[in-house]
Amino acid sequence: MNSLFALNAQQKEAVTTLEGPVMILAGAGSGKTRVIIQRIVHLIQKKQVPPQQILAVTFTNKAAEEMRGRLNEMLSGKQKGVHLSTFHALGVSLLRKSIHHLGYRPNFIIYDTRDQISVIKTIMEDNDFDDRGLIDPKSVHYEISQAKSTGQGPESFLEQQESQQKQMVGKIFRQYQNTMKGCNAIDFDDILNLTLTLFEQFPDVMDTLTQRFRYFMVDEYQDTNRIQYKLLQYLTKRHRNLCVVGDDDQSIYGWRGAEVRNIFNFEKDFPEVKLIRLEQNYRSTQNILSAANQVISENTQRMPKKLWSEKQGGEKLDWLQAENEVEEMEAVTRKIRTKILQNGRRYSDYSILYRSNFQSRVVEEALREAKIPYRMLGGTSFYDREEIRDALAYLKVIYNPNDEVSLHRIINTPRRGIGKTSLMKANECCQETHLPLFKVMSRARKYERIPKDSAFTMEIFTGIISSFQQRFANEKLDIVFKDLLDEIGYLRFLETQSGDIKVRERRVMNVLELLVSIRKYSEKFPEANLQSYLERVTLFTQSDNDPESKANQVLIMTLHSAKGLEFPFVFMVGMSEGVFPNHRALEEGGEDEERRLCYVGITRAQQELTFSMSKFRKRFGESIKQEPSRFLLDINPELLAVPIVGEATEEVKKERSRESRSAFFSQFKQLEAS
């Protein structure tokens, strides 16, 4: 049977163009994986290329395994020898053979994230790097990983840093690398960096190792970073039969080092390239694709392409607008329930996509209230996030000071100078006196074995807890919680942590979102107290989904997590200026990537797509008017079931973004000024 029979003209051209550099611009849902598989089959069956000469690289082990399985089905084992792997797996295989040139032994081990953080923690403790609480092991690990992703070593990192924090990170970085090498260990980031170093410093050695590969294929090329691109250049120096498959319109990982310019520069670096566009979409209706095309066409820097489908027409895109976020999600859940009852659909046919993690709170709560089973993909449930668990631990201790699990969690968060030794001494006093830890801490200066400075701090800490016990008993929950955050300096603590500013900001936003939820709970239940609120949260966080129905659940996720997936029915919620596009991304000049993210979201839908937003977002007592996302205003109204009304001028866009950001962070700024 001719394996090319079921392919369209462009797919056939992509499969049969085998010599020289080829760039396949594969739009969403255009069958790119099928093309890669068929290329390999064609090379082996029709061109009699030995499988050992073929290298195919993708980004995830899951994708590599899927390709391996499909090849086995089509070639019945004849594909054995084809090197199918991730970039990192390829790097490891090369390092095993040649890493001795860099002073490592071939039996090196690869440390996972926990191992790496453990090494960093030990270095910090041994050198008193953390005595002021300016840095922590996780944030140091993040900084080191970010530096390595751009090819930076400790010395070049140190040269570029001026702040005390960054200098400390650089010194830890230097010692970390020395420690790792002494253990004959490398980390995930080292794999590609060391492989590149081998190519640069020992070209003859690496040429010997890679000369067997004649045909190269790279999936998801738009996600490659600088180091991966350099590796490809070295790998293909001898044989320029490089086929890259990607879509610049789906380049959404710039924040983790992916460089979309690798696609834009490909024609410059490989001037003899054959460019093939896959524009026929097999996933979505034409109405959905037309909306996607209209949104993405506003990006000025892109490779021109236009998705089309034989599924002409289709349902018009729906638009839900509510007064506030709660009502917005009520409208979404109501629509899901209605369609399931009317059409007999499964919950697993539906997906809810949102831009930022903090939005998951209102989504999760609405689904719970509606008794709709759901599963979060690629993220942590709102109430399981570290900063939320910290904040709730304070409330639990205030409600019940004998809750020692929660007490241990918050006793030095934020840092207040109660060290491990002092806490150990306090616990010894507990054992001797048979008193709970909180009681001992509240009169710590009476116990000689507890160091005086720590004892004084313990009493101050327990005094704060006791004072808020009284306030929570007599005042509104949200007001007292706001003052508690102020008193303990928790938001300032999050903001001053080292590491990615986006991560810090996201954590602050999550805590502020918790404050919003407490405020809404207080407004809904004026007689509510701390006990009832904690009971509600506890019941909420205990999954009441039937374990047997795990496969039949609405999937909720960020737009970033949705890439590569598809669903019959998709809801994109929170479609307002400042939320999506995200205000931070706009400030950093990232509108193009935000627009690509919107394009990815739209093209997840197979049959129906619904946008939603709230007219107002309440932030700290102030009701902020929301305007529809600029992306929605780019869609032809004829494609919409309900017209989207909004102001689209640049002045309005900028002003709404500023208002949103200012309102959201007003609380934090107040705390800083206090």
Side-chain angles (χ1 to χ4, degrees):
M1 181 179 174
N2 188 348
S3 62
L4 303 181
F5 180 75
L7 303 180
N8 64 42
Q10 291 72 36
Q11 289 174 329
K12 287 178 184 175
E13 185 181 17
V15 168
T16 56
T17 307
L18 303 173
E19 302 300 318
V22 179
M23 182 160 69
I24 302 171
L25 288 176
S30 62
K32 68 176 179 64
T33 304
R34 184 185 206 183
V35 166
I36 296 172
I37 297 295
Q38 291 283 14
R39 264 182 78 89
I40 297 173
V41 171
H42 197 71
L43 280 166
I44 295 172
Q45 285 189 335
K46 301 299 182 182
K47 298 298 180 181
Q48 301 300 304
V49 174
Q52 294 79 8
Q53 295 183 1
I54 302 170
L55 170 65
V57 183
T58 186
F59 274 81
T60 65
N61 290 312
K62 182 181 177 183
E65 284 301 316
E66 182 186 343
M67 290 172 69
R68 192 171 288 111
R70 290 172 66 174
L71 275 175
N72 189 49
E73 287 178 11
M74 297 184 72
L75 293 173
S76 303
K78 295 177 182 177
Q79 84 289 348
K80 288 181 179 178
V82 175
H83 196 106
L84 275 169
S85 73
T86 63
F87 273 100
H88 287 85
L90 174 64
V92 170
S93 69
L94 296 176
L95 289 175
R96 291 292 181 198
K97 295 173 180 156
S98 302
I99 199 170
H100 61 277
H101 292 283
L102 301 177
Y104 292 82
R105 297 184 300 281
N107 65 338
F108 63 86
I109 57 173
I110 303 169
Y111 278 8
D112 62 18
T113 301
R114 287 187 181 180
D115 294 330
Q116 296 162 43
I117 291 173
S118 179
V119 172
I120 293 168
K121 187 177 180 181
T122 300
I123 292 170
M124 292 176 65
E125 290 174 349
D126 290 347
N127 295 274
D128 294 326
F129 277 120
D130 63 341
D131 58 346
R132 301 185 200 175
L134 295 174
I135 53 177
D136 64 89
K138 287 185 179 178
S139 61
V140 172
H141 173 262
Y142 173 84
E143 294 276 5
I144 292 173
S145 182
Q146 285 295 104
K148 287 184 177 184
S149 71
T150 61
Q152 268 192 315
E155 302 309 322
S156 59
F157 179 89
L158 273 166
E159 286 174 6
Q160 298 178 23
Q161 309 305 326
E162 295 181 358
S163 71
Q164 183 185 1
Q165 282 178 294
K166 297 285 186 167
Q167 282 288 315
M168 274 195 286
V169 171
K171 291 173 182 177
I172 296 168
F173 188 2
R174 179 195 289 151
Q175 196 165 334
Y176 170 81
Q177 288 300 99
N178 292 334
T179 301
M180 292 286 285
K181 194 167 186 178
C183 296
N184 198 39
I186 64 175
D187 60 31
F188 201 66
D189 297 301
D190 286 330
I191 294 171
L192 297 186
N193 280 302
L194 292 175
T195 305
L196 183 60
T197 301
L198 283 172
F199 275 113
E200 292 172 342
Q201 297 182 7
F202 303 93
D204 294 340
V205 173
M206 300 310 287
D207 282 349
T208 302
L209 288 170
T210 59
Q211 64 182 349
R212 71 179 178 101
F213 297 124
R214 285 187 59 205
Y215 295 91
F216 304 85
M217 275 160 278
V218 182
D219 191 17
E220 303 288 3
Y221 184 66
Q222 76 280 348
D223 295 335
T224 53
N225 62 24
R226 190 183 313 170
I227 295 171
Q228 289 160 341
Y229 185 64
K230 287 182 179 178
L231 284 173
L232 284 174
Q233 287 180 310
Y234 277 109
L235 284 165
T236 58
K237 189 166 61 174
R238 182 183 300 240
H239 305 291
R240 290 173 69 83
N241 302 321
L242 171 62
C243 173
V244 298
V245 185
D247 182 9
D248 57 300
D249 289 337
Q250 297 187 75
S251 179
I252 60 174
Y253 297 124
W255 50 275
R256 68 183 190 194
E259 297 192 5
V260 68
R261 65 183 178 183
N262 289 346
I263 282 186
F264 301 147
N265 292 339
F266 196 83
E267 289 181 284
K268 181 181 70 175
D269 297 325
F270 296 87
E272 72 274 34
V273 64
K274 174 72 174 179
L275 181 62
I276 301 169
R277 291 179 173 85
L278 304 184
E279 297 174 299
Q280 184 175 356
N281 176 285
Y282 295 90
R283 175 186 298 157
S284 309
T285 65
Q286 189 56 53
N287 278 350
I288 292 170
L289 296 180
S290 295
N293 288 332
Q294 289 163 11
V295 169
I296 201 63
S297 66
E298 295 297 318
N299 272 2
T300 53
Q301 283 197 314
R302 62 184 292 264
M303 305 287 283
K305 70 189 81 66
K306 193 171 184 178
L307 293 181
W308 63 276
S309 172
E310 291 182 345
K311 303 173 186 175
Q312 291 300 305
E315 295 289 332
K316 289 189 174 185
L317 283 62
D318 203 2
W319 166 241
L320 304 177
Q321 190 171 232
E323 287 298 312
N324 55 55
E325 297 151 281
V326 173
E327 291 182 12
E328 175 191 353
M329 282 309 305
E330 285 176 352
V332 169
T333 56
R334 190 161 52 246
K335 184 172 180 178
I336 292 174
R337 278 206 163 280
T338 300
K339 292 189 78 67
I340 284 176
L341 289 170
Q342 290 179 346
N343 305 318
R345 307 296 309 209
R346 291 172 60 81
Y347 288 117
S348 55
D349 291 335
Y350 297 83
S351 179
I352 301 174
L353 312 180
Y354 42 85
R355 172 60 180 85
S356 300
N357 279 310
F358 78 87
Q359 294 172 264
S360 72
R361 185 210 41 102
V362 69
V363 174
E364 288 186 80
E365 290 189 358
L367 291 167
R368 293 274 184 172
E369 289 289 336
K371 294 182 169 48
I372 294 175
Y374 74 92
R375 177 164 61 92
M376 180 177 288
L377 187 70
T380 305
S381 179
F382 181 82
Y383 289 101
D384 285 334
R385 292 169 191 154
E386 289 296 310
E387 58 276 11
I388 301 302
R389 290 176 69 87
D390 284 347
L392 290 176
Y394 270 97
L395 297 182
K396 289 175 181 178
V397 171
I398 290 169
Y399 173 66
N400 176 18
N402 293 334
D403 179 358
E404 295 198 2
V405 172
S406 298
L407 181 58
H408 276 279
R409 183 179 185 95
I410 65 171
I411 199 165
N412 215 31
T413 303
R415 292 182 180 273
R416 50 179 60 91
I418 302 175
K420 291 181 181 178
T421 302
S422 299
L423 190 56
M424 183 181 68
K425 297 294 184 184
N427 279 309
E428 288 174 0
C429 295
C430 293
Q431 293 174 4
E432 290 178 0
T433 61
H434 304 289
L435 292 172
L437 179 58
F438 187 87
K439 197 74 154 177
V440 168
M441 290 175 61
S442 66
R443 55 181 75 168
R445 285 180 292 177
K446 293 183 178 180
Y447 303 96
E448 293 184 0
R449 69 173 64 189
I450 301 176
K452 289 184 179 180
D453 288 348
S454 294
F456 184 69
T457 305
M458 288 178 182
E459 291 187 11
I460 292 175
F461 169 71
T462 55
I464 292 171
I465 297 297
S466 298
S467 68
F468 276 93
Q469 285 179 315
Q470 295 296 319
R471 291 196 59 191
F472 271 109
N474 299 297
E475 301 176 45
K476 284 187 66 179
L477 294 181
D478 58 302
I479 294 173
V480 184
F481 181 65
K482 173 181 173 294
D483 289 345
L484 174 65
L485 294 175
D486 188 359
E487 179 70 33
I488 63 176
Y490 190 69
L491 294 183
R492 286 194 295 273
F493 163 72
L494 293 177
E495 183 67 16
T496 54
Q497 296 294 290
S498 60
D500 185 7
I501 189 170
K502 293 180 181 177
V503 174
R504 299 200 304 266
E505 182 175 284
R506 184 166 65 243
R507 297 186 73 191
V508 171
M509 290 173 73
N510 284 336
V511 176
L512 295 179
E513 185 65 22
L514 180 65
L515 173 58
V516 170
S517 76
I518 294 174
R519 175 160 292 160
K520 288 180 177 178
Y521 179 76
S522 296
E523 290 172 352
K524 189 175 182 179
F525 305 103
E527 302 302 315
N529 56 27
L530 187 56
Q531 176 186 351
S532 63
Y533 176 75
L534 289 173
E535 284 177 357
R536 177 182 180 273
V537 170
T538 302
L539 291 171
F540 177 84
T541 55
Q542 296 296 314
S543 177
D544 47 23
N545 290 326
D546 182 355
E548 296 182 358
S549 68
K550 290 292 184 186
N552 187 27
Q553 298 171 318
V554 174
L555 272 180
I556 68 171
M557 69 196 80
T558 64
L559 284 153
H560 283 97
S561 298
K563 188 171 176 288
L565 303 177
E566 58 186 41
F567 306 91
F569 305 96
V570 170
F571 292 82
M572 293 176 64
V573 302
M575 295 295 295
S576 60
E577 282 291 304
V579 179
F580 191 34
N582 177 267
H583 57 78
R584 164 78 62 183
L586 294 178
E587 289 177 354
E588 295 177 350
E591 181 176 336
D592 277 10
E593 184 155 320
E594 287 291 283
R595 189 176 292 279
R596 292 195 292 267
L597 189 57
C598 185
Y599 171 86
V600 166
I602 292 172
T603 54
R604 298 313 92 192
Q606 296 170 304
Q607 300 176 27
E608 293 184 26
L609 175 63
T610 301
F611 302 109
S612 72
M613 65 164 282
S614 57
K615 295 179 183 178
F616 296 90
R617 292 175 70 84
K618 203 167 185 180
R619 291 292 176 262
F620 317 109
E622 185 180 0
S623 216
I624 307 298
K625 188 175 186 298
Q626 302 290 287
E627 291 293 336
S629 168
R630 65 190 70 186
F631 304 146
L632 299 185
L633 301 177
D634 295 327
I635 299 173
N636 188 330
E638 292 182 2
L639 297 175
L640 298 160
V642 180
I644 296 174
V645 180
E647 301 173 82
T649 66
E650 286 302 314
E651 291 75 15
V652 168
K653 291 174 184 176
K654 290 177 183 177
E655 181 59 29
R656 294 303 180 198
S657 179
R658 281 196 297 269
E659 285 180 3
S660 177
R661 178 171 172 80
S662 172
F664 204 82
F665 286 96
S666 62
Q667 173 65 16
F668 178 67
K669 290 177 180 178
Q670 290 171 14
L671 291 173
E672 275 193 319
S674 63

